[in-house]
Amino acid sequence: MYWCDFPKDAQLPEFWKRRPVIILSFRNTLHGAVTVVPCSTQTQKDARSTFPLRTTIDGKAAWAICDKITTVAVSRLVSQTRTVWFGCPMMNSIRC
């Protein structure tokens, strides 16, 4: 699981602050820009655009927010261990 530092000057309904994301990559590498699906631990009422994850985030139930898929620079990504990985194969994959 990676965390993404979304822009602090985002405007609603955009995501802001650091939050967990699922990385979508057909090459299984982190280089340049990547497409991410943001996740949340807040209960999601709109089941049409969210998907419950089989994993937890900080011990809490989590959801993928599928209507907010976006592309970000890999420099915005931080791994769970708080180490940034540039151009390296992704270490883990999330199974939904």
Side-chain angles (χ1 to χ4, degrees):
M1 174 77 64
Y2 282 82
W3 293 75
C4 180
D5 288 325
F6 284 98
K8 293 181 181 173
D9 63 345
Q11 298 180 15
L12 290 176
E14 299 171 336
F15 276 113
W16 68 96
K17 73 180 183 177
R18 179 175 284 180
R19 66 177 51 251
V21 294
I22 299 169
I23 299 170
L24 305 177
S25 173
F26 70 93
R27 291 187 208 148
N28 205 27
T29 63
L30 295 177
H31 181 72
V34 293
T35 303
V36 298
V37 179
C39 300
S40 178
T41 57
Q42 291 184 352
T43 302
Q44 300 297 307
K45 294 178 171 82
D46 183 7
R48 296 173 294 149
S49 63
T50 62
F51 187 83
L53 302 178
R54 292 183 186 168
T55 188
T56 60
I57 298 172
D58 293 334
K60 299 176 185 176
W63 288 265
I65 313 301
C66 300
D67 65 343
K68 301 288 190 245
I69 295 172
T70 189
T71 300
V72 298
V74 295
S75 60
R76 292 191 176 275
L77 300 177
V78 180
S79 74
Q80 280 185 324
T81 59
R82 304 293 188 243
T83 303
V84 179
W85 298 88
F86 293 101
C88 298
M90 291 184 352
M91 302 303 284
N92 297 310
S93 63
I94 300 296
R95 297 189 186 270
C96 299

